[in-house]
Short mmCIF file of all heavy atoms in Angstrom, two decimals:
data_model
loop_
_atom_site.label_atom_id
_atom_site.label_comp_id
_atom_site.label_asym_id
_atom_site.label_seq_id
_atom_site.Cartn_x
_atom_site.Cartn_y
_atom_site.Cartn_z
N ASP A 251 178.55 6.87 45.15
CA ASP A 251 177.92 5.71 45.79
C ASP A 251 176.55 5.47 45.16
O ASP A 251 176.15 6.16 44.21
CB ASP A 251 177.85 5.88 47.31
CG ASP A 251 176.88 6.99 47.75
OD1 ASP A 251 176.12 7.51 46.90
OD2 ASP A 251 176.89 7.33 48.94
N GLU A 252 175.80 4.50 45.70
CA GLU A 252 174.52 4.12 45.11
C GLU A 252 173.51 5.26 45.13
O GLU A 252 172.55 5.28 44.36
CB GLU A 252 173.95 2.91 45.85
CG GLU A 252 174.75 1.63 45.67
CD GLU A 252 174.65 1.08 44.26
OE1 GLU A 252 173.64 1.32 43.60
OE2 GLU A 252 175.59 0.39 43.84
N HIS A 253 173.72 6.23 46.04
CA HIS A 253 172.79 7.36 46.16
C HIS A 253 173.32 8.59 45.42
O HIS A 253 172.85 9.71 45.66
CB HIS A 253 172.56 7.69 47.63
CG HIS A 253 172.07 6.52 48.44
ND1 HIS A 253 170.80 6.00 48.28
CD2 HIS A 253 172.69 5.75 49.37
CE1 HIS A 253 170.65 4.98 49.11
NE2 HIS A 253 171.77 4.80 49.77
N HIS A 254 174.32 8.38 44.55
CA HIS A 254 174.91 9.44 43.74
C HIS A 254 175.68 10.46 44.57
O HIS A 254 175.91 11.58 44.12
CB HIS A 254 173.85 10.13 42.88
CG HIS A 254 173.38 9.28 41.73
ND1 HIS A 254 173.66 9.58 40.42
CD2 HIS A 254 172.66 8.14 41.70
CE1 HIS A 254 173.13 8.66 39.63
NE2 HIS A 254 172.52 7.77 40.39
N LYS A 255 176.07 10.10 45.77
CA LYS A 255 176.90 10.97 46.59
C LYS A 255 178.36 10.82 46.16
O LYS A 255 178.84 9.72 45.93
CB LYS A 255 176.76 10.61 48.07
CG LYS A 255 177.61 11.48 48.99
CD LYS A 255 177.44 11.06 50.44
CE LYS A 255 178.34 11.88 51.35
NZ LYS A 255 178.22 11.45 52.77
N ALA A 256 179.07 11.96 46.06
CA ALA A 256 180.46 11.93 45.62
C ALA A 256 181.35 11.27 46.66
O ALA A 256 181.33 11.64 47.84
CB ALA A 256 180.94 13.35 45.35
N LEU A 257 182.13 10.27 46.22
CA LEU A 257 183.03 9.56 47.12
C LEU A 257 184.50 9.90 46.88
O LEU A 257 185.30 9.90 47.81
CB LEU A 257 182.84 8.05 46.97
CG LEU A 257 181.50 7.47 47.41
CD1 LEU A 257 181.49 5.97 47.17
CD2 LEU A 257 181.25 7.77 48.88
N GLY A 258 184.86 10.13 45.64
CA GLY A 258 186.26 10.38 45.33
C GLY A 258 186.49 10.43 43.83
O GLY A 258 185.54 10.46 43.05
N MET A 259 187.75 10.42 43.45
CA MET A 259 188.13 10.52 42.05
C MET A 259 189.21 9.48 41.75
O MET A 259 190.11 9.26 42.56
CB MET A 259 188.68 11.93 41.77
CG MET A 259 189.03 12.20 40.32
SD MET A 259 187.59 12.73 39.37
CE MET A 259 187.40 14.41 39.98
N ILE A 260 189.11 8.83 40.59
CA ILE A 260 190.20 7.99 40.13
C ILE A 260 190.74 8.60 38.83
O ILE A 260 190.01 9.26 38.10
CB ILE A 260 189.78 6.52 39.90
CG1 ILE A 260 188.62 6.43 38.91
CG2 ILE A 260 189.43 5.84 41.20
CD1 ILE A 260 188.32 5.03 38.48
N THR A 261 192.00 8.37 38.58
CA THR A 261 192.65 8.95 37.41
C THR A 261 193.19 7.85 36.50
O THR A 261 193.23 6.67 36.88
CB THR A 261 193.82 9.85 37.83
OG1 THR A 261 194.86 9.04 38.41
CG2 THR A 261 193.37 10.90 38.84
N SER A 262 193.60 8.26 35.31
CA SER A 262 194.17 7.30 34.37
C SER A 262 195.42 6.64 34.96
O SER A 262 195.70 5.47 34.70
CB SER A 262 194.51 7.99 33.05
OG SER A 262 195.35 9.11 33.27
N THR A 263 196.16 7.37 35.78
CA THR A 263 197.35 6.80 36.42
C THR A 263 196.96 5.70 37.40
O THR A 263 197.62 4.65 37.47
CB THR A 263 198.15 7.89 37.15
OG1 THR A 263 198.56 8.87 36.21
CG2 THR A 263 199.37 7.30 37.84
N ASP A 264 195.87 5.92 38.17
CA ASP A 264 195.39 4.87 39.08
C ASP A 264 195.09 3.58 38.32
O ASP A 264 195.42 2.48 38.76
CB ASP A 264 194.11 5.32 39.80
CG ASP A 264 194.33 6.51 40.71
OD1 ASP A 264 195.42 6.62 41.27
OD2 ASP A 264 193.40 7.32 40.85
N LEU A 265 194.47 3.74 37.16
CA LEU A 265 194.04 2.57 36.40
C LEU A 265 195.18 1.92 35.65
O LEU A 265 195.15 0.72 35.38
CB LEU A 265 192.92 2.96 35.43
CG LEU A 265 191.65 3.46 36.12
CD1 LEU A 265 190.59 3.82 35.10
CD2 LEU A 265 191.11 2.40 37.07
N LEU A 266 196.22 2.69 35.32
CA LEU A 266 197.38 2.10 34.67
C LEU A 266 198.01 1.03 35.55
O LEU A 266 198.60 0.06 35.07
CB LEU A 266 198.42 3.18 34.35
CG LEU A 266 198.21 3.95 33.04
CD1 LEU A 266 199.13 5.15 32.99
CD2 LEU A 266 198.45 3.04 31.85
N ARG A 267 197.88 1.22 36.85
CA ARG A 267 198.46 0.23 37.77
C ARG A 267 197.73 -1.10 37.69
O ARG A 267 198.26 -2.14 38.07
CB ARG A 267 198.37 0.76 39.21
CG ARG A 267 199.19 2.02 39.42
CD ARG A 267 198.90 2.63 40.77
NE ARG A 267 199.57 3.91 40.91
CZ ARG A 267 199.23 4.83 41.81
NH1 ARG A 267 198.22 4.61 42.63
NH2 ARG A 267 199.89 5.96 41.88
N GLN A 268 196.48 -1.07 37.20
CA GLN A 268 195.68 -2.29 37.08
C GLN A 268 195.67 -2.85 35.67
O GLN A 268 195.32 -4.00 35.47
CB GLN A 268 194.24 -1.99 37.50
CG GLN A 268 194.10 -1.23 38.79
CD GLN A 268 194.70 -1.96 39.95
OE1 GLN A 268 194.54 -3.18 40.07
NE2 GLN A 268 195.41 -1.25 40.81
N GLN A 269 196.01 -2.03 34.68
CA GLN A 269 195.80 -2.40 33.28
C GLN A 269 196.80 -3.45 32.82
O GLN A 269 197.98 -3.23 32.80
CB GLN A 269 195.95 -1.15 32.39
CG GLN A 269 195.62 -1.40 30.95
CD GLN A 269 195.67 -0.11 30.16
OE1 GLN A 269 195.49 0.96 30.70
NE2 GLN A 269 195.93 -0.23 28.88
N LYS A 270 196.27 -4.59 32.44
CA LYS A 270 197.12 -5.69 32.03
C LYS A 270 196.52 -6.39 30.83
O LYS A 270 196.64 -7.59 30.67
CB LYS A 270 197.28 -6.68 33.19
CG LYS A 270 197.82 -6.01 34.45
CD LYS A 270 197.73 -6.95 35.63
CE LYS A 270 198.29 -6.30 36.88
NZ LYS A 270 197.41 -5.29 37.43
N SER A 271 195.81 -5.67 29.96
CA SER A 271 195.10 -6.37 28.89
C SER A 271 195.18 -5.67 27.56
O SER A 271 194.89 -4.50 27.44
CB SER A 271 193.62 -6.51 29.27
OG SER A 271 192.97 -5.27 29.20
N ASP A 272 195.61 -6.41 26.56
CA ASP A 272 195.61 -5.89 25.20
C ASP A 272 194.20 -5.61 24.70
O ASP A 272 194.02 -4.69 23.90
CB ASP A 272 196.31 -6.87 24.27
CG ASP A 272 197.39 -6.17 23.47
OD1 ASP A 272 197.74 -5.03 23.79
OD2 ASP A 272 197.85 -6.76 22.50
N PRO A 273 193.14 -6.37 25.11
CA PRO A 273 191.80 -6.03 24.66
C PRO A 273 191.40 -4.60 24.97
O PRO A 273 190.66 -3.98 24.21
CB PRO A 273 190.92 -7.04 25.41
CG PRO A 273 191.79 -8.22 25.58
CD PRO A 273 193.16 -7.66 25.85
N VAL A 274 191.86 -4.07 26.09
CA VAL A 274 191.55 -2.69 26.42
C VAL A 274 192.14 -1.75 25.38
O VAL A 274 191.53 -0.77 24.96
CB VAL A 274 192.07 -2.33 27.83
CG1 VAL A 274 191.92 -0.84 28.10
CG2 VAL A 274 191.31 -3.14 28.88
N GLN A 275 193.36 -2.04 24.93
CA GLN A 275 193.98 -1.22 23.90
C GLN A 275 193.23 -1.35 22.57
O GLN A 275 193.10 -0.39 21.82
CB GLN A 275 195.44 -1.64 23.71
CG GLN A 275 196.30 -1.42 24.96
CD GLN A 275 196.27 0.02 25.42
OE1 GLN A 275 196.40 0.94 24.62
NE2 GLN A 275 196.09 0.22 26.72
N LEU A 276 192.71 -2.55 22.29
CA LEU A 276 191.94 -2.74 21.07
C LEU A 276 190.67 -1.89 21.09
O LEU A 276 190.28 -1.29 20.09
CB LEU A 276 191.58 -4.23 20.90
CG LEU A 276 190.73 -4.59 19.66
CD1 LEU A 276 191.44 -4.18 18.38
CD2 LEU A 276 190.43 -6.08 19.65
N ILE A 277 190.02 -1.82 22.23
CA ILE A 277 188.83 -0.97 22.37
C ILE A 277 189.19 0.47 22.06
O ILE A 277 188.45 1.18 21.37
CB ILE A 277 188.24 -1.11 23.79
CG1 ILE A 277 187.58 -2.48 23.95
CG2 ILE A 277 187.22 0.00 24.06
CD1 ILE A 277 187.09 -2.76 25.35
N GLY A 278 190.34 0.92 22.56
CA GLY A 278 190.79 2.28 22.27
C GLY A 278 190.97 2.53 20.79
O GLY A 278 190.59 3.59 20.27
N ARG A 279 191.51 1.55 20.06
CA ARG A 279 191.71 1.70 18.62
C ARG A 279 190.36 1.74 17.89
O ARG A 279 190.19 2.48 16.92
CB ARG A 279 192.58 0.56 18.06
CG ARG A 279 193.98 0.54 18.63
CD ARG A 279 194.96 -0.14 17.69
NE ARG A 279 194.61 -1.49 17.34
CZ ARG A 279 194.89 -2.56 18.07
NH1 ARG A 279 195.54 -2.44 19.22
NH2 ARG A 279 194.57 -3.78 17.66
N ILE A 280 189.42 0.94 18.36
CA ILE A 280 188.10 0.91 17.73
C ILE A 280 187.42 2.27 17.85
O ILE A 280 186.84 2.77 16.88
CB ILE A 280 187.22 -0.19 18.37
CG1 ILE A 280 187.72 -1.58 17.93
CG2 ILE A 280 185.75 -0.01 17.99
CD1 ILE A 280 187.05 -2.73 18.65
N TYR A 281 187.50 2.90 19.02
CA TYR A 281 186.86 4.19 19.21
C TYR A 281 187.47 5.29 18.34
O TYR A 281 186.86 6.34 18.16
CB TYR A 281 186.92 4.60 20.68
CG TYR A 281 185.83 4.01 21.54
CD1 TYR A 281 186.13 3.24 22.65
CD2 TYR A 281 184.49 4.21 21.22
CE1 TYR A 281 185.13 2.69 23.45
CE2 TYR A 281 183.48 3.66 22.00
CZ TYR A 281 183.82 2.90 23.12
OH TYR A 281 182.81 2.35 23.88
#
Side-chain angles (χ1 to χ4, degrees):
D251 68 10
E252 293 290 332
H253 304 290
H254 287 249
K255 180 181 177 182
L257 294 179
M259 184 84 74
I260 57 170
T261 67
S262 54
T263 299
D264 295 328
L265 297 180
L266 276 169
R267 296 171 186 161
Q268 312 301 318
Q269 186 175 335
K270 304 170 179 74
S271 72
D272 232 12
V274 172
Q275 297 303 314
L276 179 58
I277 288 174
R279 297 205 303 276
I280 288 172
Y281 276 123

